[in-house]
Structures are given as C-alpha cells and as structure tokens.
C-alpha cells in the first residue's frame, strides 16, 4: 500500500508538471512504467483503490444513468453584446454604479462544468444543465488530464470552467470517424459535449478533452477580493487557467483586447466564439448584482457568425491542376462575413458520405479565415423527402477518361486532359508563382482554346503573335502590350517562383523557396539525388521523390525555358555558404564558445543540415570536449573532423 501511495504521488505530480507547468520532470517511458506498476498493485488489491489514482483517468467506469445534482449556487449564463456601441453601453451602465477595472478573457467554445473538491480531492464534476440542476459527469471528468484529481491544498472548494476539445483532437477524431464510415461531428463544441454525455467513460478518455478554469463561486471563503486574484489562486492550486487573460483599466483596454483576439483567434489551438468581460472587484460585482439569468457585472462580446444556413442546390465536379476531381456544393447564395457565397468545397466522396449530404439539403456553411467555405453539417430535420442521393462520378467530367482512386480522392490521369493543362497554365502565372499580371483565368483558358498556349513555354512565344492577338475581341494594343511586357518581366523572377510555377507535385511555395535557397540554381537542383534532397531540412521522402521524378521527365521543358533566357537562379537574400550547402554535420562533445543549439542554427542558416548520428552520409563531425562514440565512428568511417576552432573559422568565412 505504501508503494501504491508513493506511485500515485509521483504520477499526480508528473501530471501537474506536464499539464499545468508545461515542464515535465519524468520521461513518458518512466511515466508508463509507474503506471503499469500501479495498475498491477491495484488489480491485486482492488480494496485499496483510491479515487485520485491516475489509473482512474484511463476510463472504464460505466454508469447506468446520469444522476441529477443541484448546484449550490446557480450556474448563470452571460448576456451578449455584438458591437462597439453595445460594449460601451455595458460600460456606461456599470460606471453609473462603480469605478471598474475589467478582466478580459477568451470565451472558450465548449461546455461549462462545475468541479467540486473535498479536502483537496476531486469528488464531483457536473454539467450546467439548466443552471439550477445539472448532471453528474464525475466518471468522465476524471479522464480529463488537465483537470487535477488532487489539488495543491487539502481544502474544500468548487471551481467552474469550460471543457473543450482542441482543434487538433477534433480533426483527428473526425479523420478516424471518416475512415470508419461514421458520421462526422459538426464542431469541437459538439464533440466535447457529446463526449462528456456518455455513460461509458472510455469514450471520454479516448477523446483528449481539456479544461480551462475561469470562475470561483465562493471567493470570500478564501479571503479573495478580485477575480484576477481568484484566477491566480486557482492556478496555484493546480488548475489550468487560460494564459491569455488580461486585466485592463477601462473600456478602451477591453476594445484593444477584442481587436487583438479578433485577428488572432484562428491561431489559437482551440475555438473561441467571443470575449468575456468581467468586472474585477468582487465588492463591485456584488453591488451590480444579477438579473434572473445573467450577472450584470459581466458580458460576452460575440464574434460575428462564421456559419449560416442555406440550400445546397446541386453538386458539381471540378478537375484541379493535379487531376483531382472534387465535388463542390452549388449553394443558394448567402452573405457571410462580408461576402456572398455560392459555392463550397465538399473535398471528396468520403466527406460527402460521412456528412450524409444530399442534393436539396439545408446545410450550414462556414468560412474560417481565408479558406474556401465548407459545409459544416446537414440540417436533417429540414428534409422533405425530395432530396437526391449523392453519386460519385467515375469518369472525368472534361475528357471522360476513367478516374483512378488514390486514398480518398479520384484523379483524372490523362495528361492530355484539357482542364488539367489549363489549370497548370493558370498556376504558372499565378501570384505566388511567376506572377504575370493581366492573365486572368479566363484569358488563359481562351488562349489555350485558341491554340496560343499549349504549355508554359508558349507564354514566352506569344510575342510572335502580337498582331493577331491585338485583333482579338476585347483586347486592344495597350492590353496586349501590357501583357507581353509583364511576360518579359517575369523572366527575371527568382528561382523559387519558377519552381513553384512548374507545378511539381508536393512542392508548394514554401518548399520551392527551401529548394531554391539550398541549391541556388536549377542545374544544382536537377543534379541533386534523392539522398541529397532528403538531407535538406524540411524536405521529406515524398517531396524528394517527386522532385527527382519531375526532373527525370521534364528536362526538355527546362531546356526550352532556358532558351528564352528565363532566370533560373535564386536571387533572394542568401547566407548559403558553399562549404555548408547540402552538407551534413554531426556535433559531439561540449563546445565552449557556442551552444549546440546555436551551432545547429548556424549550420542550417548557412544551408547545411545537422544529424544526430554518424553515417557514410555525414560530411563533417564537429568535436568538442569529451566527445562520445560519434567521434570514434567518424574516425572509423574516415569522415572529416573539425575542432571547435576550425568549425568557428568555417562559419565565419
Ligand atoms: S464566465 C457568472 N468565462 O460561455 C459567469 N464563461 O455564454 C459565468 N464561457 O456558460 C461564466 N468561456 O460556458 C465565463 N472565460 C469564460 C468563458 C465562459 C466560455 C462559456 C460558459 C458560459 C457561456 C456563456
């Protein structure tokens, strides 16, 4: 029993360090070993089992029904405000009674929870329910690793907060569900709510839920005077309090905070649907009081809706540059976040089937950031029986050749398919590629159809047809002159634009830049082998393979482009140093004037790579004091050894 208690202590401390302090002191392997030992002791002695044992987080407890619980103090909801005028009005009303400071918090999009601790141990978790009566979800709450089973003081306390699912866990969950042909969940909030309303706690345990604590219902019990102090108090007890909370002096500070998070919310790893504004001082809160539903001392600013309902009128298929055939929803046009939306991507067949989308359905549409609008979910209760089942096509809608299925998508693999060729031409002139202004998608398509453009080299031959082009309807001398001069200008682009424009599979604009920076010109890149390429930081096997294959079959095209004097060198700022470009370094021993990390960064900045072990592929081994076995391996393999000072000399050149 002593050993069991000891392990529980160790593991609970490790959890706290991991989830609260973000600074674990034991490794994952050590954690697992303790866990196994604990499971063994507990299964031999079930009578010793403690409620705060971390084995309880694994789930497995199954309840037969949700017990009702009555909240000691009602769990209120918040009033809403939607714009600056309403926020100022909220402030004016408060200022009539008190002189407030405000605490600004993110409004986490999850479900609220009340957690009860007795003598420092978690004894109950409950949903809000209708605010007065909630449901006992203790078995599921125990599985949430960011909720402490034991807190740092043996006190009785209730805290409240929000259970949520991170965007990453949500996406993983839906990916898994799609693979198993299960219905997809609409958003992280529904996913989190669905997880805690399960009788079998294994499900919640598998869902990777999290929790932020933001409310202390009885602060006076602990002598706490302000909300901001309460947050600190709860954090010190071991709860996770959101790190982006700010105390501000006045409403201007609130507005600044709102501005900041309106632009940054997409970067957060979890979803928020607004900002909560709370009067900081508890005495002031008391003075301001409550309505029947809301506290008067707080409100929630809600972000403009990201979702609207509309009718899905049809599903049309488009063929992209890679040949991928994508189903698209044709929508009854609706306004959303300042633009009118009439199309949304449906990604692929599996996506449509997993969401049970039918033609004629009412669907909710969502637009996040700059991305293409998506169908979130079908409103099944709005169906009337006239909806039509979705059927995937099996032939290219453009060239009719049979489609080939790869992973979840269908591809047209006919390299003569007109649409694929047109899309490649459009891509070549696009903003992040060669950026030839004046070539709208329609012009490229028209020129292709008229036979002026067959492949990307033809852009540079258009000037031969100048007179003919000027005769075309809709084009004047001026526009053709502009177009031709923009084409000429594009010859001076830096290499990465060309690389991206060529449309090499898996080479996006970021990868194109990495390749350009590392290889400096196209000839170096053409000569690079698969083994060379995968040594480059951020170039993986898939990209390396694709690059090699591309240049194996497209040498002719590159030669033709060269004839037109198109620049094929990297013109950006370059630190790349011939001694380092594409070279692999291994570091061993202690360096005295530079840390390992600094050395690594420097090598990478100069175009080299750092590897953790010595092999035939290693070019240099940098040897500090007390080197390890890497030094001996390097000697055995005859790899060039650099002392620290030789290395420093090399980087300073
Ligand atoms: S405070 C008496 N703070 O939003 C004050 N609520 O629309 C109680 N929520 O029911 C709530 N993040 O589920 C508060 N930082 C935050 C919040 C938050 C999300 C939720 C909570 C509440 C709902 C009100």
């Amino acid at each position: 029993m002593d050993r069991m208690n000891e392990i529980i202590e160790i593991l609970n401390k490790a959890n706290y360090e991991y989830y609260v302090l973000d600074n674990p002191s034991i490794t994952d392997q050590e954690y697992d070993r303790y866990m196994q030992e604990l499971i063994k002791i507990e299964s031999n002695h079930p009578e010793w089992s403690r409620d705060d044992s971390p084995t309880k987080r694994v789930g497995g407890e199954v309840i037969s029904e949700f017990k009702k619980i009555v909240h000691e103090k009602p769990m209120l909801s918040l009033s809403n405000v939607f714009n600056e005028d309403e926020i100022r009005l909220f402030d004016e009303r408060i200022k009539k009674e008190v002189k407030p400071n405000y605490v600004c918090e993110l409004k986490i999009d999850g479900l609220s929870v009340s957690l009860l601790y007795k003598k420092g141990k978690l004894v109950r978790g409950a949903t809000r329910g209708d605010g007065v009566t909630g449901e006992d979800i203790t078995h599921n709450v125990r599985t949430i690793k960011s909720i402490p089973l034991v807190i740092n003081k043996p006190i009785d306390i209730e805290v409240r907060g929000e259970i949520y699912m991170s965007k990453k866990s949500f996406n993983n969950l839906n990916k898994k569900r799609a693979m198993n042909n299960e219905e997809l969940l609409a958003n992280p909030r529904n996913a989190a709510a669905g997880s805690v309303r399960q009788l079998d706690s294994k499900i919640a345990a598998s869902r990777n839920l999290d929790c932020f604590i933001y409310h202390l219902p009885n602060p006076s019990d602990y002598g706490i005077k302000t909300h901001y102090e309460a947050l600190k108090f709860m954090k010190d007890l071991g709860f996770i309090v959101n790190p982006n909370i700010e105390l501000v002096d006045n409403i201007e500070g609130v507005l600044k905070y709102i501005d900041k998070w309106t632009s940054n919310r997409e970067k957060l790893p979890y979803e928020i649907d607004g900002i909560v504004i709370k009067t900081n001082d508890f005495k002031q809160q008391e003075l301001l009081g409550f309505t029947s539903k809301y506290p008067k001392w707080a409100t929630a600013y809600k972000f403009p809706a990201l979702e609207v309902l509309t009718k899905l009128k049809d599903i049309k298929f488009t063929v992209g540059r890679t040949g991928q055939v994508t189903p698209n929803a044709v929508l009854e046009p609706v306004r959303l976040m300042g633009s009118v939306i009439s199309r949304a991507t449906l990604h692929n067949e599996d996506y449509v089937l997993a969401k049970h989308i039918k033609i004629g359905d009412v669907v909710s549409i969502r637009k996040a950031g700059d991305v293409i609008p998506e169908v979130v979910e079908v409103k099944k209760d709005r169906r009337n029986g006239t909806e039509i089942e979705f059927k995937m096509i099996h032939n290219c809608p453009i060239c009719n050749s049979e489609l080939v299925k790869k992973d979840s998508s269908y591809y047209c693999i006919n390299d003569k398919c007109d649409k694929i060729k047109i899309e490649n031409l459009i891509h070549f002139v696009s903003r992040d590629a060669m950026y030839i202004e004046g070539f709208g998608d329609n012009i490229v398509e028209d020129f292709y159809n008229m036979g002026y453009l067959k492949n990307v080299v033809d852009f540079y031959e258009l000037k031969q047809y100048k007179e003919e082009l000027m005769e075309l309807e809709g084009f004047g001398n001026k526009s053709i002159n502009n177009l031709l001069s923009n084409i000429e200008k594009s010859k001076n682009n830096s290499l990465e634009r060309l690389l991206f424009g060529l449309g090499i599979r898996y080479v996006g604009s970021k990868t194109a830049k990495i390749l350009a920076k590392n290889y400096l010109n196209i000839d170096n890149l053409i000569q690079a082998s698969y083994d060379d390429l995968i040594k480059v930081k951020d170039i993986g096997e898939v990209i390396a393979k694709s690059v090699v294959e591309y240049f194996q079959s497209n040498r002719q095209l590159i030669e033709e482009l060269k004839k037109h004097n198109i620049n094929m060198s990297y013109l950006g700022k370059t630190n790349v140093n011939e001694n380092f470009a594409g070279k692999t370094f291994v570091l061993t021993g202690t360096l005295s004037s530079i840390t390992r990390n600094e050395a690594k960064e420097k090598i990478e900045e100069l175009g080299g790579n750092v590897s953790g072990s010595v092999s035939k592929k290693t070019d240099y081994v940098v040897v500090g004091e007390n080197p390890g076995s890497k030094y001996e391996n390097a000697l055995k393999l005859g790899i060039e050894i650099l002392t620290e000072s030789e290395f420093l000399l090399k980087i300073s050149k």
Side-chain angles (χ1 to χ4, degrees):
M1 191 190 278
D2 283 347
R3 178 62 178 161
M4 177 186 85
N5 290 336
E6 184 189 8
I7 300 177
I8 290 178
E9 205 107 306
I10 294 172
L11 291 177
N12 281 340
K13 177 168 164 272
N15 266 331
Y16 174 68
E17 289 169 343
Y18 184 88
Y19 288 98
V20 183
L21 306 179
D22 204 9
N23 183 20
S25 68
I26 67 174
T27 65
D28 290 357
Q29 287 81 355
E30 284 170 310
Y31 188 95
D32 289 343
R33 248 183 280 133
Y34 282 123
M35 198 72 168
Q36 291 313 321
E37 191 182 342
L38 182 59
I39 290 171
K40 207 162 151 202
I41 302 177
E42 287 180 351
S43 65
N44 286 337
H45 296 279
E47 72 280 9
W48 291 348
S49 160
R50 275 171 49 176
D51 274 352
D52 63 346
S53 164
T55 56
K56 293 288 187 314
R57 292 197 187 282
V58 187
E61 191 183 343
V62 182
I63 60 168
S64 54
E65 57 171 0
F66 290 102
K67 263 191 289 174
K68 295 262 177 282
I69 58 97
V70 177
H71 296 293
E72 197 182 309
K73 277 191 173 174
M75 281 180 85
L76 298 180
S77 171
L78 294 168
S79 62
N80 291 320
V81 290
F82 294 93
N83 53 47
E84 184 175 337
D85 286 350
E86 292 176 8
I87 296 169
R88 288 190 186 278
L89 226 70
F90 164 79
D91 178 51
E92 291 305 325
R93 245 180 271 130
I94 287 187
K95 281 197 299 204
K96 271 190 201 141
E97 318 237 359
V98 299
K99 281 203 175 103
N101 284 339
Y102 294 115
V103 175
C104 301
E105 299 179 10
L106 304 180
K107 187 167 185 301
I108 314 297
D109 204 5
L111 67 142
S112 43
V113 66
S114 145
L115 304 174
L116 200 61
Y117 289 77
K118 290 267 187 252
K119 298 203 176 99
K121 287 187 186 149
L122 175 67
V123 294
R124 194 192 73 194
T127 63
R128 187 172 96 91
D130 61 9
V132 177
T133 316
E135 283 177 332
D136 189 325
I137 52 164
T138 313
H139 64 305
N140 287 328
V141 161
R142 280 191 199 289
T143 68
I144 301 175
K145 300 210 180 68
S146 44
I147 294 180
L149 298 172
V150 201
I151 52 177
N152 294 332
K153 274 191 194 153
I155 51 173
D156 292 356
I157 191 170
E158 183 194 352
V159 298
R160 294 176 182 175
E162 198 86 352
I163 294 179
Y164 67 96
M165 188 182 281
S166 71
K167 292 177 189 168
K168 196 168 152 198
S169 300
F170 171 72
N171 290 334
N172 287 342
L173 175 62
N174 260 354
K175 255 187 234 157
K176 257 194 237 148
R177 292 176 74 92
M179 273 195 309
N180 297 332
N181 279 332
E182 288 172 292
E183 203 162 331
L184 300 191
L185 298 163
N187 53 48
R189 174 170 35 84
N190 287 3
S195 308
V196 298
R197 290 209 77 270
Q198 299 281 343
L199 296 168
D200 181 350
S201 65
K202 268 217 193 68
I203 299 177
S206 73
R207 293 282 173 88
N208 234 332
L209 298 170
D210 265 296
C211 182
F212 284 124
I213 297 300
Y214 51 63
H215 189 65
L216 180 63
N218 302 303
S220 57
D221 291 359
Y222 314 95
I224 293 171
K225 298 209 161 47
T226 68
H227 177 57
Y228 202 69
E229 273 174 63
L231 292 170
K232 163 98 173 44
F233 175 68
M234 296 190 287
K235 186 169 175 227
D236 291 343
L237 286 177
F239 294 104
I240 301 203
V241 172
N242 188 281
N244 303 308
I245 295 175
E246 278 178 38
L247 177 62
V248 300
D249 290 336
N250 52 38
I251 205 67
E252 302 308 324
V254 171
L255 292 168
K256 249 200 215 145
Y257 184 88
I258 289 178
D259 261 1
K260 174 166 141 193
W261 288 106
T262 302
S263 10
N264 288 320
R265 64 187 284 211
E266 295 295 333
K267 294 182 201 144
L268 289 166
Y270 43 84
E271 293 203 343
I272 59 173
D273 60 339
I275 300 297
V276 182
I277 310 157
K278 299 175 181 171
T279 307
N280 187 32
D281 189 288
F282 287 135
K283 271 223 186 76
Q284 294 184 355
Q285 287 191 4
E286 215 170 302
L287 253 160
L288 291 158
F290 298 85
T291 70
S292 62
K293 280 197 206 146
Y294 311 121
K296 288 192 199 163
W297 44 264
T299 194
Y301 164 76
K302 292 288 267 291
F303 291 131
L306 295 173
E307 271 181 48
V308 282
L309 293 186
T310 190
K311 188 167 175 164
L312 187 151
K313 293 193 300 188
D314 198 0
I315 295 181
K316 287 229 159 90
F317 296 90
T318 52
V319 183
R321 179 165 62 86
T322 59
Q324 187 175 1
V325 176
T326 309
N328 294 282
V330 180
L331 306 167
E332 196 82 65
V334 272
R335 273 197 93 74
L336 177 58
M337 296 172 69
S339 57
V340 175
I341 292 173
S342 55
R343 287 265 181 156
T345 179
L346 297 172
H347 302 290
N348 55 44
E349 181 184 23
D350 291 353
Y351 186 87
V352 181
L353 296 179
K355 294 212 165 193
H356 301 285
I357 296 169
K358 292 187 188 180
I359 296 169
D361 271 335
V362 172
V363 292
S364 65
I365 303 296
R366 179 191 178 92
K367 204 172 122 188
D370 293 335
V371 300
I372 312 166
E374 265 190 343
V375 171
V376 182
E377 68 178 333
V378 170
K379 298 288 162 191
K380 289 198 178 138
D381 52 346
R382 302 275 294 264
R383 282 187 177 157
N384 60 15
T386 61
E387 296 77 18
I388 303 166
E389 288 290 342
F390 164 79
K391 267 208 195 74
M392 186 63 202
I393 51 170
H394 296 281
N395 289 80
C396 174
I398 307 294
C399 70
N400 204 36
S401 62
E402 205 171 316
L403 302 179
V404 172
K405 193 167 184 190
K406 234 194 281 165
D407 302 326
S408 303
S409 295
Y410 285 84
Y411 289 85
C412 170
I413 53 160
N414 170 16
D415 56 11
K416 296 198 175 59
C417 177
D418 290 321
K419 191 63 196 312
I420 298 179
K421 289 184 156 190
I422 292 169
E423 289 295 328
N424 271 303
L425 292 166
I426 291 173
H427 174 72
F428 187 78
V429 298
S430 66
R431 185 173 281 266
D432 289 333
M434 294 300 268
Y435 196 21
I436 307 184
E437 273 183 289
F439 267 115
D441 295 4
N442 292 340
I443 301 180
V444 174
E445 190 165 347
D446 288 348
F447 280 18
Y448 176 88
N449 288 330
M450 288 186 278
Y452 290 113
L453 291 174
K454 287 187 285 308
N455 65 28
V456 298
V457 180
D458 292 341
F459 283 108
Y460 299 96
E461 287 176 0
L462 277 179
K463 56 182 173 216
Q464 295 173 35
Y465 309 105
K466 186 169 171 178
E467 309 301 321
E468 277 176 49
L469 294 173
M470 283 175 175
E471 295 300 311
L472 293 176
E473 212 184 291
F475 290 93
N477 293 7
K478 202 168 152 210
S479 63
I480 291 298
N481 276 331
N482 265 342
L483 210 52
L484 293 175
S485 109
N486 290 341
I487 293 174
E488 286 306 299
K489 263 195 258 162
S490 76
K491 291 182 175 176
N492 302 324
N493 281 337
S494 182
L495 174 63
E496 65 275 18
R497 287 186 170 275
L498 177 66
L499 288 180
F500 178 55
L502 290 173
I504 306 167
R505 202 74 212 281
Y506 306 116
V507 176
S509 53
K510 219 171 126 195
T511 303
K513 185 130 193 205
I514 295 171
L515 292 172
K517 228 174 159 170
N518 268 278
Y519 287 93
L520 303 176
N521 64 50
I522 204 149
D523 294 318
N524 289 343
L525 182 60
I526 290 174
Q527 276 155 26
S529 67
Y530 172 85
D531 287 338
D532 294 331
L533 282 160
I534 54 168
K535 280 190 208 158
V536 177
K537 187 167 180 266
D538 293 329
I539 303 294
E541 295 169 11
V542 178
I543 298 174
K545 187 161 168 265
S546 169
V547 170
V548 170
E549 279 173 6
Y550 180 86
F551 287 117
Q552 268 163 6
S553 39
N554 288 287
R555 289 291 270 279
Q556 183 67 26
L557 180 80
I558 305 294
E559 290 312 313
E560 282 176 43
L561 284 169
K562 270 190 189 165
K563 282 189 202 142
H564 288 282
N565 290 325
I566 290 161
N567 169 59
M568 298 195 185
S569 297
Y570 179 61
L571 306 176
K573 225 176 63 199
T574 163
N575 288 327
V576 174
N577 171 318
E578 290 291 312
N579 284 326
F580 286 78
K583 296 272 167 27
T584 300
F585 287 71
V586 171
L587 305 170
T588 178
T590 317
L591 303 173
S592 58
S593 59
I594 182 170
T595 69
R596 278 252 192 140
N597 245 342
E598 285 164 354
K600 180 166 185 275
E601 272 170 23
K602 195 74 203 172
I603 291 168
E604 286 171 353
E605 193 185 307
L606 296 170
N609 315 294
V610 175
S611 161
S613 61
V614 176
S615 74
K616 274 188 269 176
K617 288 189 205 159
T618 311
D619 295 291
Y620 299 102
V621 174
V622 181
V623 178
E625 236 171 273
N626 300 322
S629 59
K630 292 176 196 170
Y631 177 49
E632 285 153 34
N633 286 341
L635 289 176
K636 263 189 234 153
L637 292 170
I639 287 159
E640 188 167 340
I641 309 278
L642 299 176
T643 61
E644 180 169 350
S645 49
E646 284 167 335
F647 172 68
L648 294 174
L649 195 68
K650 220 176 175 66
I651 56 177
S652 65
K653 268 189 193 161

